């Protein structure tokens, strides 16, 4: 049900983008310039606001989670990355987490066997599809820089060339287009096909999947099927980034669907689970060193407690203590 | 609002801004030229004299988006079916065209650098066709 609602929502967005793109010049200006600017400002501002909110929440305990031997006695082998002790170890651990999705790699499948025996099996598909999805998304975004830089840098050209090395058709097929749409499709099927996962899936899980699929699909349609004048698209893109916006009228409506879905994605980003892009860096279970035996982690919530020391106590009661024959430290 | 661990977090935000705003500051203060493919080659002028107008094998708007696809179709048609003549759909009165990259398109568009490359460089499109097919000689380019 939630999946169907999200699907209809994205279809509606496609329709809005299409109608906007087919309308007169002022509406096209709204969809080609005003909405993208607004969405971009909201994306950058919103993401920073979310990060500041996280940064203002204290971490009361050292809650690092580890999967390796803590640094202890010199003759016990220390697992430097799984249970990092130094800042360097933490950096390596975070890099592996962000670039290789290490904790997702440990994903397990729990099965109940006959006689109530529980067994854990490998479940690497989620990790693989997640990695494939994120990397193809990043590569596509990087390739899109050709619309935003006048003299396209060599790095972008090389990526373009490697991505189309299969030399299928004209214009050449990009491998990442196939991988992106395939991986998003898998991630969706996983959510509906596995009962436990379907049970915990919300509209907020389906909606971004459909939205990203929509962006990819409209891009693919534009490149291989319906075509649009992409020379004019570059003029629009360059106009946006140099604050001299133009909306050439040779751009087809499909581009406006692409751009509108993208604007929605950007605006939705800081409000949704997609902020994990920034959040992953701030996960205390990953980014703290496991040095709680060596370094005292002071809870920032601690308020100043009035402590009455023994010395003060003795000062208060010295006479009475002497009378009662109790030993005192100072005469 | 008290900020904890501000140092690395602000550094991270700076890196994020540097990436997100890259296109803006990278292009700052530059003047952007748009490509203007030239269609004034001798072959096209001859065609204009004979037929009274400049025209491509199909309408200009259609060619903009679809020329790579038609080249692909031409290639298949010639190499697989041995069919070398192309009848235009949008110019029904035009004489059939020779389905060929080198002696079709490039006969009219003999100014590759000022035509095909003008657009392709703008968007960094690098057709690999010229690994095998021969580019038209462009004398005026050599001089300048
Ligand atoms: C999250 C951001 C975006 C994603 C995931 C995305 C995705 C895609 C994909 C998968 C394609 C198919 C062809 C290819 O891979 O190059 C494509 C094409 C295209 N995209 Fe995007 N896109 C994004 C942002 C943008 C933006 C900001 C623009 C505005 C300039 C844009 C304009 C285009 C155009 C004009 C094409 C057709 C390219 C061609 O015909 O070669 N896209 N997009």
């Amino acid at each position: 049900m939630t999946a169907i609602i999200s699907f209809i929502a994205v279809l509606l967005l496609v329709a809005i983008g299409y109608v906007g793109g087919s309308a007169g010049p002022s509406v096209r200006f709204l969809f080609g310039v005003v909405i993208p600017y607004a969405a971009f400002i909201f994306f950058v501002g919103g993401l920073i606001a979310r990060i500041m909110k996280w940064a203002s929440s204290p971490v009361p305990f050292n809650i690092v989670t580890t999967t390796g031997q803590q640094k202890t006695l010199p003759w016990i082998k220390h697992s430097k990355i799984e249970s990092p002790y130094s800042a360097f170890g933490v950096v390596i651990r975070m890099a592996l987490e962000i670039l290789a999705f290490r904790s997702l790699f440990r994903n397990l499948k729990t099965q109940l066997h006959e006689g109530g025996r529980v067994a854990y099996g490998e479940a690497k598909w989620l990790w693989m599809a997640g990695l494939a999805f994120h990397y193809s998304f990043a590569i596509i975004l990087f390739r899109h820089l050709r619309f935003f830089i006048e003299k396209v840098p060599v790095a972008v050209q090389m990526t373009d060339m490697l991505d189309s090395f299969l030399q299928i058709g004209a214009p050449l097929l990009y491998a990442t287009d196939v991988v992106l749409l395939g991986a998003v499709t898998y991630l969706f099927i996983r959510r509906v096909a596995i009962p436990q996962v379907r049970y915990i899936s919300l509209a907020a899980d389906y909606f971004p999947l459909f939205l990203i699929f929509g962006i990819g699909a409209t891009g693919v349609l534009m490149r291989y099927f319906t075509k649009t004048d992409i020379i004019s698209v570059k003029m629009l893109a360059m106009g946006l980034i140099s604050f001299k916006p133009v909306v050439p009228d040779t751009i087809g409506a499909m581009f406006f669907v692409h751009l509108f879905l993208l604007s929605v994605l950007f605006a939705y980003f800081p409000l949704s689970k997609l902020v994990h892009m920034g959040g992953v860096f701030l996960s205390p279970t990953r980014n703290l060193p496991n040095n709680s035996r060596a370094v005292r982690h002071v809870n920032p919530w601690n308020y100043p407690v009035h402590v009455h020391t023994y010395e003060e106590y003795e000062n208060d009661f010295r006479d009475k203590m002497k009378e009662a024959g109790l030993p005192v430290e100072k005469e | 609002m008290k900020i904890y661990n501000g140092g690395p977090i602000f550094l991270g935000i700076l890196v994020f801004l540097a990436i997100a705003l890259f296109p803006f500051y990278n292009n700052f203060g530059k003047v952007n030229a748009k490509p203007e493919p030239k269609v004034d080659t001798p072959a096209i002028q001859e065609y204009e004299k004979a037929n009274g107008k400049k025209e491509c094998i199909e309408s200009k708007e259609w060619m903009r988006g679809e020329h790579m696809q038609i080249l692909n179709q031409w290639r298949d048609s010639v190499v697989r079916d041995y069919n070398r003549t192309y009848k235009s759909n949008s110019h029904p009165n035009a004489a059939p065209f020779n389905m060929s990259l080198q002696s079709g398109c490039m006969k009219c568009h003999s100014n590759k650098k000022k035509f095909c490359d003008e657009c392709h460089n703008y968007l960094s499109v690098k057709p690999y066709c010229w690994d095998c097919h021969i580019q038209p000689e462009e004398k005026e380019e050599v001089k300048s």
Side-chain angles (χ1 to χ4, degrees):
Chain A
M1 193 56 208
T2 46
I4 295 170
I5 291 174
S6 318
F7 184 66
I8 292 173
V10 173
L11 278 189
L12 218 66
L13 293 174
V14 170
I16 293 172
Y18 192 83
V19 170
S22 327
S26 53
V27 179
R28 278 162 67 97
F29 190 82
L30 177 70
F31 277 81
V33 177
V34 180
I35 294 177
Y37 269 146
F40 186 72
I41 293 169
F42 193 81
F43 167 66
V44 174
L47 195 64
I48 292 178
R50 282 299 289 265
I51 292 175
M52 293 320 281
K53 189 174 166 216
W54 289 323
S56 64
S57 355
V59 179
F61 311 111
N62 185 339
I63 54 171
V64 59
T65 53
T66 60
T67 50
Q69 173 60 48
Q70 182 179 21
K71 181 177 162 95
T72 55
L73 299 166
W75 43 269
I76 298 176
K77 195 159 181 281
H78 168 214
S79 174
K80 291 197 177 68
I81 293 166
E82 305 302 355
S83 184
Y85 181 80
S86 62
F88 181 72
V90 171
V91 169
I92 301 290
R93 183 184 204 215
M94 287 300 284
L96 282 172
E97 181 65 35
I98 286 156
L99 300 175
F101 301 1
R102 201 111 193 279
S103 49
L104 202 54
F105 188 72
R106 299 204 180 89
N107 184 33
L108 291 176
K109 189 166 64 189
T110 317
Q111 288 159 320
L112 202 57
H113 284 272
E114 266 171 62
R117 230 166 20 87
V118 174
Y120 297 95
E122 297 277 324
K124 299 270 184 268
W125 287 105
L126 176 62
W127 170 78
M128 261 170 63
L131 211 58
F133 162 68
H134 280 85
Y135 271 97
S136 47
F137 194 106
I139 293 171
I140 289 171
L141 204 58
F142 184 68
R143 278 202 283 95
H144 272 60
L145 278 178
R146 71 181 173 136
F147 296 121
F148 294 98
I149 302 175
E150 167 125 54
K151 282 212 161 43
V152 181
V154 179
V156 176
Q157 294 181 14
M158 291 290 284
T159 315
D160 234 284
M161 208 181 72
L162 289 175
D163 202 349
S164 59
F165 83 107
L166 294 170
Q167 300 196 335
I168 297 173
L172 294 177
L173 178 73
Y174 287 128
T176 45
D177 289 4
V178 179
V179 174
L180 178 83
L181 293 182
V184 174
T185 307
Y186 170 79
L187 293 174
F188 167 68
I189 290 177
R190 189 188 82 95
R191 283 201 179 271
V192 281
I194 305 176
Q196 295 92 323
V197 182
R198 185 171 63 219
Y199 185 70
I200 59 165
S201 292
L202 305 171
D205 296 313
Y206 292 115
F207 180 70
L209 280 178
F210 288 134
L211 195 60
I212 289 167
F213 189 88
I215 296 174
T218 47
V220 163
L221 274 176
M222 217 172 2
R223 179 172 170 86
Y224 307 103
F225 303 102
T226 61
K227 303 292 177 182
T228 192
D229 181 1
I230 71 169
I231 302 279
S232 312
V233 170
K234 181 156 184 177
M235 282 161 59
L236 182 140
M238 297 304 287
L240 284 178
I241 59 167
S242 50
F243 303 106
K244 295 186 203 94
V246 280
V247 182
D249 39 52
T250 44
I251 301 181
M254 189 57 75
F255 172 72
F256 286 87
V257 180
H258 194 62
L259 196 61
F260 184 62
L261 291 182
L262 177 75
S263 305
V264 173
L265 182 74
F266 267 22
Y268 180 66
F269 207 95
L271 306 172
S272 64
K273 69 172 194 174
L274 301 176
V275 272
H276 70 270
M277 180 175 97
V280 66
F281 293 94
L282 299 187
S283 335
T285 57
R286 307 271 120 204
N287 67 14
L288 287 169
N290 187 18
N291 57 3
S292 54
R293 290 183 184 179
V295 180
R296 180 157 177 241
H297 183 96
V298 179
N299 182 354
W301 289 342
N302 284 352
Y303 49 87
V305 177
H306 179 71
V307 185
H308 197 66
T309 59
Y310 177 72
E311 204 181 349
E312 287 164 332
Y313 171 87
E314 206 182 88
N315 288 344
D316 289 349
F317 298 107
R318 185 166 293 113
D319 299 340
K320 298 206 169 70
M321 288 169 81
K322 277 189 188 157
E323 259 173 48
L326 290 172
V328 287
E329 283 184 353
K330 251 195 280 179
E331 282 306 322
Chain B
M1 192 163 70
K2 182 164 168 30
I3 302 295
Y4 300 92
N5 302 311
I9 290 177
F10 284 120
L11 192 71
I13 290 180
L14 273 182
V15 171
F16 166 67
L17 284 178
I19 295 173
L21 302 180
F22 170 74
F24 293 93
Y25 61 76
N26 179 56
N27 193 51
F28 189 75
K30 286 186 193 156
V31 189
N32 301 311
K34 64 171 199 184
E36 272 156 17
K38 295 254 177 335
V39 280
D40 51 3
T41 60
I44 291 178
Q45 278 160 5
E46 237 166 71
Y47 184 94
E48 193 182 2
K49 236 178 264 164
N51 296 279
K53 56 179 181 261
K54 277 189 187 178
E55 56 185 14
C56 194
I57 53 170
E58 297 287 353
S59 77
K60 180 177 164 181
E61 291 67 38
W62 194 84
M63 286 308 288
R64 274 207 159 195
E66 304 279 351
H67 64 275
M68 42 302 219
Q69 230 116 327
I70 200 134
L71 277 168
N72 210 18
Q73 285 161 17
W74 279 18
R75 173 165 55 178
D76 289 352
S77 163
V78 170
V79 177
R80 301 201 179 142
D81 305 333
Y82 196 62
N83 170 18
R84 280 184 184 273
T85 51
Y86 180 76
K87 194 84 190 80
S88 171
N89 295 317
S90 52
H91 308 317
N93 301 326
F97 294 96
N98 181 13
M99 271 196 203
S100 171
L101 178 60
Q102 276 163 246
S103 45
C105 315
M106 304 320 286
K107 210 172 99 235
C108 282
H109 298 298
S110 56
N111 53 345
K112 175 170 172 293
K113 291 205 177 65
K114 285 262 176 310
F115 186 76
C116 314
D117 293 354
E118 183 81 11
C119 288
H120 292 172
N121 288 344
Y122 186 60
L123 274 165
S124 113
V125 184
K126 299 236 163 356
Y128 61 94
C129 321
W130 314 110
D131 292 358
C132 303
H133 291 272
I134 297 168
Q135 310 187 19
E137 280 180 38
E138 289 177 63
K139 296 184 193 74
E140 77 266 56
E141 279 300 314
V142 181
K143 252 188 280 167
S144 60

